[in-house]
């Protein structure tokens, strides 16, 4: 086992993977059906590994070395307390989005009694399912309009099986008219990358769906739609939470203020980057 682990780390490091040790251990664990800690323990004791398992590890490592996302190889992505199914056609949820979800969760928890939340452009369902499982008194509605992503969204809604979460296939611009003026929190991680700003990481550039990445020439096309839909859905005093790129805070504050939102504020994540803006209806 120790030589398999060492070889895997070496291959990934030479391929330019930023966390070769972590990825190697997670992929070995995926093949063997054990945790990362167990992989480390087996490596220390140099536990035996079958030829079939070693070949499967080598195949997984080679896929990762070609910069296929780790989550596509394992088929799952961790998000807060959830384990979500992901693959081609759906955006892989990122750690920074956990911070965005927390802003929405904190707002929902501060509302006395039952609350209503909407996740616009839910993708894998990460934000919506985090809200539903962590604030069980809330009713959470998730909207997605990509047929390829929706396959994964439905799978995650079935597996998490949160009775307070509802999934709708619709364009976010005209979704959920029956909820107009009744929603407490609208949250969204929209596509916000400008068309000319091609992501550096091959995992994003080659594997994440363009539908979930690019938001027009300035990256704000869908943000305009989220703002309009948020104003329609939220009651007076309701909260909007939008994820965005770390340099987009000023432009989004200007956009939301022009649309009539109040108390517009940009928030920094744990790394000190501007990653979300909130506003009141």
């Amino acid at each position: 086992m120790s030589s398999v682990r060492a070889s895997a780390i070496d291959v990934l490091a030479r391929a330019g993977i930023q966390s070769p040790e972590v990825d190697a251990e997670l992929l070995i664990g995926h093949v063997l059906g054990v945790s990362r800690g167990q992989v480390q323990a087996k490596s220390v004791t140099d536990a035996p590994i079958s030829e079939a398992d070693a070949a499967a590890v080598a195949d997984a490592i080679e896929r990762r070395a070609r910069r296929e996302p780790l989550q596509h190889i394992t088929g799952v992505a961790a998000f807060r307390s959830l384990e979500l199914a992901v693959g081609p056609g759906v955006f892989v949820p990122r750690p920074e989005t956990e911070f965005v979800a927390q802003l929405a969760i904190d707002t929902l928890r501060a509302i006395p009694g039952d609350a209503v939340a909407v996740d616009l452009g839910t993708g894998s369902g990460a934000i919506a399912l985090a809200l539903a499982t962590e604030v069980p008194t809330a009713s959470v509605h998730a909207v997605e309009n990509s047929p390829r992503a929706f396959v994964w969204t439905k799978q995650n809604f079935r597996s998490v099986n949160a009775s307070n979460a509802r999934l709708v296939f619709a364009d976010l611009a005209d979704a959920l008219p029956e909820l107009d003026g009744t929603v407490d929190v609208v949250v969204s991680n929209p596509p916000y990358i400008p068309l000319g700003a091609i992501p550096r990481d091959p995992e994003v550039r080659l594997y994440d769906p363009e539908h979930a990445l690019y938001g027009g020439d300035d990256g704000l096309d869908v943000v305009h739609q989220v703002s309009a839909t948020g104003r329609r859905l939220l009651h007076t005093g309701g909260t909007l939470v939008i994820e965005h790129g770390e340099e987009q805070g000023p432009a989004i504050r200007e956009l939301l203020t022009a649309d009539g939102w109040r108390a517009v504020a940009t928030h920094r994540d744990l790394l000190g980057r501007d990653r979300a803006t909130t506003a009141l209806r």
Side-chain angles (χ1 to χ4, degrees):
M1 169 68 85
S2 60
S3 62
V4 169
R5 175 182 174 275
S7 175
I9 294 171
D10 180 63
V11 169
L12 296 184
R14 286 189 283 108
I17 303 299
Q18 291 188 347
S19 52
E21 184 172 309
V22 173
D23 286 25
E25 291 171 350
L26 289 174
L27 288 171
I28 294 170
H30 169 68
V31 169
L32 300 182
V34 300
S35 69
R36 184 184 170 201
Q38 289 173 306
V39 170
Q40 294 170 339
K42 288 177 178 291
S43 180
V44 169
T45 61
D46 199 17
I49 181 171
S50 71
E51 289 186 11
D53 284 342
V57 167
D59 177 66
I61 294 299
E62 182 57 35
R63 289 172 64 185
R64 185 70 185 102
R66 293 195 299 266
R67 306 308 290 266
E68 184 174 349
L70 173 73
Q71 297 88 348
H72 281 203
I73 301 170
T74 64
V76 297
F79 187 82
R80 296 179 69 88
S81 63
L82 302 171
E83 191 172 81
L84 303 172
V86 294
V90 70
F91 185 78
V92 175
R94 307 293 201 268
E96 52 264 32
T97 304
E98 297 188 9
F99 160 75
V100 178
Q102 188 65 57
L103 292 173
I105 288 167
D106 290 344
T107 303
L108 286 174
R109 286 175 172 166
I111 297 170
D114 298 337
V116 179
V118 172
D119 177 15
L120 296 174
T122 193
S124 66
I127 294 177
L129 291 171
L131 268 56
T133 54
E134 297 185 46
V135 192
T137 57
S139 296
V140 181
H141 305 261
V143 177
E144 179 54 52
N145 72 347
S146 165
R148 294 186 70 203
F150 200 70
V151 173
W152 298 100
T153 324
K154 287 192 297 184
Q155 181 176 339
N156 288 322
F157 267 67
R158 283 195 299 267
S159 62
V160 174
N161 195 28
S163 61
N164 58 329
R166 170 193 175 207
L167 176 59
V168 176
F169 185 84
D171 290 334
L172 64 84
D174 52 16
L176 306 172
E178 70 277 13
L179 295 180
D180 285 359
T182 67
V183 177
D184 297 288
V185 175
V186 169
V187 59
S188 182
N189 177 17
Y192 52 73
I193 298 175
L195 285 174
I198 305 301
R200 292 187 301 269
D201 294 339
E203 291 86 345
V204 178
R205 186 175 66 249
L206 300 177
Y207 291 94
D208 274 327
E210 293 186 2
H211 180 84
L213 294 178
Y214 300 106
D217 289 340
D218 62 358
L220 301 180
D221 285 3
V222 184
V223 176
H224 281 283
Q225 296 176 15
V226 170
S227 174
T229 300
R231 287 188 61 78
R232 172 171 61 80
L233 290 173
L234 290 165
H235 59 69
T236 301
T239 300
L240 176 70
V241 183
I242 300 178
E243 179 174 335
H244 53 73
E246 57 190 287
E247 298 179 356
Q248 292 177 310
I252 289 180
R253 290 196 300 273
E254 181 179 349
L255 183 162
L256 294 178
T257 300
D259 282 353
W261 293 90
R262 301 180 294 112
V264 181
T266 300
H267 305 267
R268 292 181 175 179
D269 64 14
L270 295 177
L271 296 178
R273 304 171 302 181
D274 289 347
R275 291 311 305 249
T277 292
T278 58
L280 297 180
R281 172 74 169 87

